[in-house]
Each structure stands twice: as structure tokens, then as C-alpha cells.
Amino acid sequence: MTSLQSRILVAAIGFPTVVFLIIQNNLLLQSLLAVATLLAVKEYIQMRPENITWFIWGWGVLYIISGMGSFYFLRQIDENGSAFALLLFVGVSINDTFSYFIGKAFGRNKLAKNISPNKTYEGLFGGLLGSIIIVDFFDVMIFDIILREKIFLILVLNIVGLFGDLLESYLKRIAKVKDSSSLLLGHGGMLDRLDSLLLTSLVTFFYVLIR
């Protein structure tokens, strides 16, 4: 099975399952988030280079727990917060998909070659396109989003998500590993799948609290 085939297989099973659980918001969702958090933390701890102290590396554990906690509380706080949680998960997935395929097909100009050599400006534009499509879809089909929040969400999915991705790539560079693990076949490890969601959830959670 090729990397692309394994990515499609994992996405075809995992994506609708998580969407269903977010909508249902029951004990299974809480269990899934708890397991995903523990796996991501485990992978992160195992990545620690010997020349970096636990005091420094340990801040990443707090970051992972805070990001996943923010996503959980976004699902709980109110109706719009719940919709934001669903939009974040779907939006990050769509952004990643558009970035991957458009970057693969048209990518020529490196975005951050010293951190993540496969990232290109063309892929970034693809992610922006995917973000606009999914935010507009949610606005029309699920709940009304005012213009200010549409702009905010598009920026969060595309720019904040990119920084979350690059942060994890930088940590993997330090740890000298390609993926956080091989848990999810062509998708890498759990931390690889959560990298953008962690930071976008944190930023969106604080936005929802103060808006």
C-alpha cells in the first residue's frame, strides 16, 4: 500500500467517525479526545532529544493538553462554540487536503525549507482556497457567520494552522525524526494529525471567550 493509499484509507475511516462523534458529543467523544491526547503526549515525550532538559521540553506537554482541552471546551460552551469545534476539525482537515494536493501538483516555491521542505507557497494558497470554501459552506448550511468571524476563521485555519504545523515540524527537526510515530500509516502519528488543530483550537477558544 502506497503512502497516498494509506492516507486515503485512514481519512475515509477516521474523518466521518470523528465528525459523527463531535455532533453526538457523548462519552465516546470524550474518550476519543482523552486517548488522542495521551497518544500525542506519549509521542512527544518519546521524541525528546537527550541534549534538551525535561524542563524545556515539558512545556510542549502543556501545549498539547491545552490545545486538546480548548477543543473539548469549544464543543461544550454553547451552540456557536459547538459549531466552531466542528468547523475547526473539518476546516483543518480540508485545509490540509487542499494544501497537500495543490502543493503536490503545483508546488515550486518553498515556504520554509529549513523547517518543512515540502511546504510551498502554492500549497499555502491551496489551503487558503480550502479554508474559504469550508467557512462559506458552514455559513450557508450550518450556522450564520458574520463577516468579521468569517475572516477570523479563514485566517485561523490557514495562518494559525500553518504555524501549528511548522511548530511541530520544527520540534521533529530538533528530535531528528520524520514522523512523531507510524501509528496512522501514511498520516504519521497522532501528534502529526493534531499539529494544526492544537493551535487553532487555542486561538479560537480565547476568541469565543472574549467576543
Side-chain angles (χ1 to χ4, degrees), residues 38-133:
L38 289 174
L39 287 172
V41 168
K42 177 175 178 288
E43 292 171 354
Y44 176 76
I45 290 174
Q46 291 176 337
M47 283 167 49
R48 183 183 73 90
E50 293 182 359
N51 63 332
I52 295 182
T53 66
W54 278 114
F55 176 77
I56 295 175
W57 196 254
W59 286 100
V61 175
L62 180 62
Y63 168 67
I64 294 170
I65 294 173
S66 298
M68 293 302 288
S70 295
F71 183 82
Y72 171 75
F73 284 114
L74 271 175
R75 182 59 187 89
Q76 309 303 320
I77 53 178
D78 58 27
E79 184 179 350
N80 279 347
S82 301
F84 276 137
L86 181 61
L87 192 156
L88 278 181
F89 175 75
V90 175
V92 164
S93 300
I94 295 297
N95 180 283
D96 182 62
T97 300
F98 272 67
S99 295
Y100 176 81
F101 284 106
I102 292 180
K104 197 85 169 175
F106 305 106
R108 298 293 183 274
N109 301 290
K110 301 297 183 182
L111 179 63
K113 63 179 180 180
N114 293 328
I115 299 176
S116 184
N118 294 326
K119 289 282 185 298
T120 63
Y121 284 99
E122 291 82 3
L124 178 64
F125 175 78
L128 175 61
L129 178 61
S131 300
I132 292 172
I133 290 172

